[in-house]
Amino acid sequence: MNRSFDEKLALFAKLAVHEGLGLARGQELIVAAELIAAPLVRLIAAEAYRAGAKNVEVLWSDPELTLARFREGSDEAIAYAPNWLIDGVARAHRENAARLAISSTDPGLLARVAPDRVATQSKVQGAARKPVSDLVAGSAINWCVIGAASPAWAARVFPDLPTDRALAKLWDAIFLTSRVEEPDPVAAWVAHSESLEARVTTLEAARFDALHFTGPGTDLSVGLVEGHRWAGGRGRAKNGILCSPNIPTEEVFCMPHRLRVDGVVSSTMPLSVRGQMVDGIRVTFKEGQAVEATARQGEATFRKLLATDEHAGRLGEVALVPHSSKVRQAGVLFLNTLYDENAASHIAFGASYGENLSGYAEMSEAQRVARGANDSIVHVDWMIGSDRIDVDGVAKDGARTPLMRAGEWA
Amino acid sequence: MNRSFDEKLALFAKLAVHEGLGLARGQELIVAAELIAAPLVRLIAAEAYRAGAKNVEVLWSDPELTLARFREGSDEAIAYAPNWLIDGVARAHRENAARLAISSTDPGLLARVAPDRVATQSKVQGAARKPVSDLVAGSAINWCVIGAASPAWAARVFPDLPTDRALAKLWDAIFLTSRVEEPDPVAAWVAHSESLEARVTTLEAARFDALHFTGPGTDLSVGLVEGHRWAGGRGRAKNGILCSPNIPTEEVFCMPHRLRVDGVVSSTMPLSVRGQMVDGIRVTFKEGQAVEATARQGEATFRKLLATDEHAGRLGEVALVPHSSKVRQAGVLFLNTLYDENAASHIAFGASYGENLSGYAEMSEAQRVARGANDSIVHVDWMIGSDRIDVDGVAKDGARTPLMRAGEWA
């Protein structure tokens, strides 16, 4: 399609409000975005008001202010989170506000900050934000994450290009993977969602007891919780609204049992953890716990992540993504999990998602844990899929069904 | 001084943090600013962290989002305020967070919006924000308001100049009036504050019963409350911190008695009320209440302001500013009250300031009203001084003392 950048941006805003959020008339919308995303935020706000939003409140962030805190802030500042604000946001979501996060993060923003300070601040923020992340992870309200290119992010992705060309190329990749380049982006998004939802139906019916990943540096068994629910594509939030929590999304995902993960697994792509690059991860699991964890780059950051809280070293998600996904086709290493996790099968350390366990909302915390759900203030995906990885579904009686061969659906 | 713009901006940031706020080590700082002020906000945040702030939280606003609400928002959106956020901010201030507001407002932002919609939104926001404005007006914490030039504001002030020249001239005027052009801005600010504080001491000692303004279109008696306190320059907040609530400031101000204002008064400068221009105001007071109010421009906006709540048509402040003030010398009509109120004597409709009444903090609401304090969700200053206005101080026995002649201290 021969559309101008402004036309694409407007289509992207519509896609986010209507398909991403499914924003309802009279609903409030909270947007989390960096200052650099202002042009997109303004289009989204206007679209949301046209859709009948009673308020669009933008929680702006600025990487320069984040850096100022790390560079100039006292130890007290590093160990502080504004509960007065976070509690207010949690209240808004309990009062049914929808949530849109726009990711523009420079994946190497905190490269020069001491990992100790980053870990302390992440832990404090994560703990303070838990009421909000629990509402989101529990699908209490309709929510969505999208991306917006920023010069700093684009420069990491295309370090050899001048800034304006890098920025344009990153926007192209965002529009492509979000289906904004399609003749009718909304129709294309719906068709794509339906194909993921069909895959979910097939996997649901199989009632696998575990998934088994094999490939170079990987021989990993991931037990699934009993009563697990596969998810992918759109999901219905508890407030009754159908939303697409990620744009783009290419994954179908399920809940690992917190005690039933065993073997060794190697990462297949680098990732940014808390503003610092981590690559070449290799982890050995025993009864669900990461007992050995190394990384060729960013090992200190990675190990601090796993030590964030008691269960940060256990899995909360396992996801299957074919090697031929639209995100992989874009041919870009985004260094941003929203995108990269949709280019490869992946697992996540930390909190599991309530939608992956039947009856989750009605269970006590103790019941959830007994069933194998994992609770943590972190949720960090990392990619373990490639065109050299096979995945089997394993039934309770040990029978194996080939799910993926050389990274593609079998 | 031959300083670069960046040097002046950095000096301005230091002045705001140290003299404006008197920010204490370990204190949190809430900054309210438009996106356009980001370069100044970043300097202020870094300075605040160096001064030991435990957090700098910026509540960003964006005129485009404000306009999107008015243009595209439903009636429900116009009648809504986010209490979850405002209550959080009030909590932060009760927990001793300091407050810095940075004004960059386009004085004609809402010129094309129906006054009804503006009045409804202002009233709802004002009512929701009352817990915050009460804490500020009651000097519970150290606070400060400064300005930052924006292209939209500069274009209204210098409509005949190209944007970049208009912006540069507005910044020049901001730096000049804020004493940033002085060899030592902090020393100059302190000396200026001390001269205002000396004026306060003289007026305090006089114990006037009323002020009497006379000039073209003006013959107004403003009764002062018993136990009134003049204020000006720096003030000590209840948390013990000495701060300069306005940069710049040229005024000394006092509390009118809500029932003892009589006569007629004419405005001497235009002003922006809720994003709409108002000019040529003429008001007749009887026993404190505005009983007739007309304006040559923006009368609908002005009358809606006075009808905001029960006491919006009574005065909360009377202030004396010599015609030779630094702001007047700048020779710029700023169309922004932070500046223009410091170019001329003025009065304000709406809420009075607790610091202007001895023992205010210990009084009940009923006691305050009985003493003549005025309570309202609005506080709008308008200029009534010029080089043709005389002001007398009137003693209880009717004896008159000339305070100002032709706009200058007598």
Side-chain angles (χ1 to χ4, degrees):
Chain A
M1 298 295 293
N2 206 357
R3 297 182 177 121
S4 71
F5 176 79
D6 287 351
E7 285 168 329
K8 290 181 204 173
L9 205 64
L11 284 170
F12 192 35
K14 275 180 207 281
L15 187 70
V17 170
H18 299 293
E19 294 305 312
L21 293 167
L23 195 70
R25 182 156 288 276
Q27 205 178 11
E28 184 163 10
L29 172 60
I30 296 179
V31 179
E34 290 187 9
L35 301 191
I36 197 83
L40 176 60
V41 169
R42 288 167 183 154
L43 292 171
I44 285 168
E47 189 65 30
Y49 281 123
R50 279 192 290 272
K54 76 174 170 190
N55 186 39
V56 179
E57 198 66 44
V58 185
L59 304 174
W60 297 98
S61 60
D62 179 31
E64 295 294 325
L65 292 181
T66 304
L67 277 177
R69 181 205 304 267
F70 280 115
R71 280 184 188 145
E72 312 283 357
S74 63
D75 288 348
E76 187 187 14
I78 298 302
Y80 180 82
N83 283 299
W84 57 267
L85 177 57
I86 298 163
D87 291 351
V89 173
R91 171 179 155 195
H93 289 311
R94 283 194 302 270
E95 292 169 3
N96 201 37
R99 180 173 192 84
L100 178 70
I102 303 179
S103 175
S104 314
T105 318
D106 173 356
L109 178 69
L110 304 181
R112 288 149 159 263
V113 178
D116 263 353
R117 278 169 85 82
V118 177
T120 300
Q121 171 70 186
S122 296
K123 188 168 170 170
V124 169
Q125 290 277 350
R129 287 180 190 283
K130 190 140 194 310
V132 174
S133 48
D134 279 354
L135 288 165
V136 171
S139 302
I141 41 92
N142 44 328
W143 60 281
C144 180
V145 186
I146 62 173
S150 66
W153 176 17
R156 304 270 180 191
V157 176
F158 303 107
D160 299 330
L161 295 182
T163 306
D164 57 339
R165 280 209 49 217
L167 192 62
K169 279 196 74 154
L170 185 54
W171 269 119
D172 283 347
I174 289 172
F175 290 147
L176 177 75
T177 55
S178 306
R179 272 68 179 179
V180 172
E181 302 284 8
E182 303 286 334
D184 181 342
V186 166
W189 184 258
V190 171
H192 169 57
S193 301
E194 286 170 350
S195 78
L196 290 170
E197 290 153 19
R199 181 76 60 188
V200 163
T201 304
T202 309
L203 287 164
E204 279 273 302
R207 308 304 325 151
F208 292 121
D209 183 56
L211 302 178
H212 191 187
F213 293 79
T214 48
T218 290
D219 182 357
L220 183 74
S221 171
V222 180
L224 302 179
V225 297
E226 220 173 307
H228 64 250
R229 307 224 38 189
W230 284 86
R234 296 162 297 183
R236 197 165 293 280
K238 292 224 181 55
N239 64 4
I241 297 176
L242 195 67
C243 66
S244 294
N246 284 182
I247 295 179
T249 182
E250 303 285 339
E251 61 174 344
V252 290
F253 58 101
C254 200
M255 190 186 287
H257 192 295
R258 57 189 293 277
L259 304 177
R260 293 178 48 229
V261 181
D262 290 278
V264 63
V265 58
S266 300
S267 66
T268 51
M269 292 165 72
L271 70 152
S272 167
V273 174
R274 299 169 172 172
Q276 304 187 323
M277 291 307 305
V278 176
D279 198 7
I281 301 169
R282 191 180 161 95
V283 175
T284 303
F285 284 92
K286 201 174 162 189
E287 294 175 356
Q289 175 70 44
V291 290
E292 266 189 68
T294 57
R296 201 171 55 245
Q297 181 188 351
E299 183 169 305
T301 298
F302 188 61
R303 294 172 75 102
K304 277 178 202 300
L305 170 72
L306 300 191
T308 303
D309 57 22
E310 200 183 344
H311 306 307
R314 295 181 183 273
L315 296 188
E317 182 191 342
V318 58
L320 301 179
V321 178
H323 192 68
S324 58
S325 86
K326 194 97 171 176
V327 174
R328 170 76 62 176
Q329 282 173 38
V332 172
L333 178 64
F334 287 83
L335 302 175
N336 179 316
T337 297
L338 173 63
Y339 296 89
D340 292 333
E341 72 162 1
N342 288 303
S345 294
H346 55 271
I347 51 182
F349 278 115
S352 38
Y353 289 111
E355 63 184 313
N356 286 133
L357 178 56
S358 189
Y360 184 88
E362 294 71 39
M363 291 180 195
S364 69
E365 190 53 41
Q367 287 172 317
R368 292 169 182 171
V369 170
R371 289 291 283 277
N374 197 40
D375 191 33
S376 170
I377 61 169
V378 309
H379 179 100
V380 176
D381 301 87
W382 52 293
M383 284 62 75
I384 63 168
S386 77
D387 56 359
R388 297 166 72 194
I389 294 286
D390 296 338
V391 186
D392 284 346
V394 185
K396 226 170 187 148
D397 65 3
R400 302 174 84 89
T401 306
L403 287 179
M404 299 187 113
R405 286 295 174 266
E408 297 302 332
W409 290 110
Chain B
M1 299 294 294
N2 206 358
R3 296 182 178 121
S4 70
F5 177 79
D6 287 351
E7 285 169 328
K8 290 180 202 171
L9 204 64
L11 284 169
F12 191 35
K14 276 181 207 280
L15 187 70
V17 170
H18 299 291
E19 293 306 311
L21 293 167
L23 195 70
R25 182 156 287 275
Q27 207 178 10
E28 185 164 9
L29 171 59
I30 295 179
V31 179
E34 291 188 9
L35 301 192
I36 198 81
L40 176 60
V41 170
R42 290 168 182 152
L43 291 171
I44 284 168
E47 190 65 30
Y49 281 124
R50 279 192 289 272
K54 76 173 168 189
N55 186 39
V56 179
E57 199 65 44
V58 185
L59 304 174
W60 297 98
S61 60
D62 178 32
E64 294 294 325
L65 292 182
T66 304
L67 277 178
R69 181 204 304 268
F70 280 115
R71 280 183 187 145
E72 311 283 357
S74 63
D75 288 349
E76 188 188 11
I78 298 303
Y80 180 83
N83 283 299
W84 58 266
L85 177 58
I86 298 163
D87 291 351
V89 172
R91 171 180 155 193
H93 289 311
R94 283 194 301 270
E95 291 169 3
N96 202 36
R99 181 174 193 83
L100 178 70
I102 303 179
S103 176
S104 314
T105 318
D106 172 357
L109 178 69
L110 304 181
R112 289 150 157 263
V113 179
D116 265 354
R117 279 169 84 80
V118 177
T120 300
Q121 171 69 188
S122 297
K123 189 168 169 170
V124 169
Q125 291 277 351
R129 287 181 190 285
K130 190 138 195 310
V132 174
S133 49
D134 279 355
L135 287 165
V136 171
S139 303
I141 41 89
N142 44 329
W143 60 282
C144 179
V145 186
I146 63 173
S150 66
W153 175 18
R156 304 269 182 193
V157 176
F158 303 107
D160 300 329
L161 295 182
T163 306
D164 57 338
R165 280 210 47 218
L167 192 62
K169 278 197 76 155
L170 186 53
W171 269 121
D172 283 348
I174 289 172
F175 290 146
L176 177 76
T177 55
S178 305
R179 272 67 179 179
V180 171
E181 302 284 9
E182 303 286 334
D184 182 341
V186 166
W189 184 258
V190 170
H192 169 58
S193 301
E194 285 169 351
S195 80
L196 289 171
E197 291 153 18
R199 181 76 59 185
V200 163
T201 305
T202 309
L203 287 164
E204 279 273 302
R207 306 307 319 154
F208 292 121
D209 183 55
L211 303 179
H212 193 187
F213 293 79
T214 48
T218 290
D219 182 357
L220 184 74
S221 170
V222 179
L224 301 179
V225 297
E226 220 172 306
H228 63 250
R229 309 224 35 190
W230 284 86
R234 296 163 296 183
R236 197 166 293 280
K238 293 224 180 53
N239 64 4
I241 296 175
L242 195 67
C243 65
S244 294
N246 285 181
I247 294 178
T249 182
E250 303 285 339
E251 62 175 343
V252 290
F253 58 101
C254 200
M255 191 187 287
H257 192 293
R258 57 190 292 278
L259 305 176
R260 292 178 49 228
V261 181
D262 289 277
V264 62
V265 59
S266 300
S267 67
T268 51
M269 292 165 71
L271 70 152
S272 167
V273 175
R274 300 169 172 173
Q276 304 187 323
M277 292 306 307
V278 175
D279 198 8
I281 301 169
R282 191 179 161 94
V283 176
T284 304
F285 285 92
K286 200 173 161 188
E287 294 175 357
Q289 175 69 43
V291 291
E292 266 189 68
T294 56
R296 199 170 56 246
Q297 181 188 354
E299 183 169 303
T301 298
F302 188 62
R303 293 173 76 102
K304 277 177 202 302
L305 170 73
L306 299 192
T308 302
D309 58 21
E310 200 183 344
H311 306 307
R314 295 182 182 274
L315 296 187
E317 182 190 342
V318 57
L320 301 179
V321 178
H323 192 70
S324 58
S325 84
K326 194 96 173 177
V327 174
R328 171 76 64 179
Q329 282 173 36
V332 172
L333 179 63
F334 287 83
L335 303 175
N336 180 316
T337 297
L338 173 64
Y339 296 89
D340 291 333
E341 72 162 2
N342 288 304
S345 293
H346 56 272
I347 51 183
F349 278 115
S352 39
Y353 289 110
E355 66 185 308
N356 286 133
L357 178 55
S358 190
Y360 183 89
E362 292 73 39
M363 291 179 194
S364 68
E365 190 50 44
Q367 286 173 317
R368 291 168 184 173
V369 170
R371 288 291 283 276
N374 197 40
D375 189 32
S376 169
I377 61 169
V378 309
H379 179 100
V380 176
D381 302 87
W382 52 293
M383 285 60 75
I384 63 169
S386 77
D387 56 0
R388 298 166 70 193
I389 294 285
D390 295 339
V391 186
D392 283 348
V394 185
K396 229 177 181 143
D397 64 5
R400 302 175 82 89
T401 308
L403 286 181
M404 300 186 112
R405 285 296 175 264
E408 298 300 335
W409 290 112

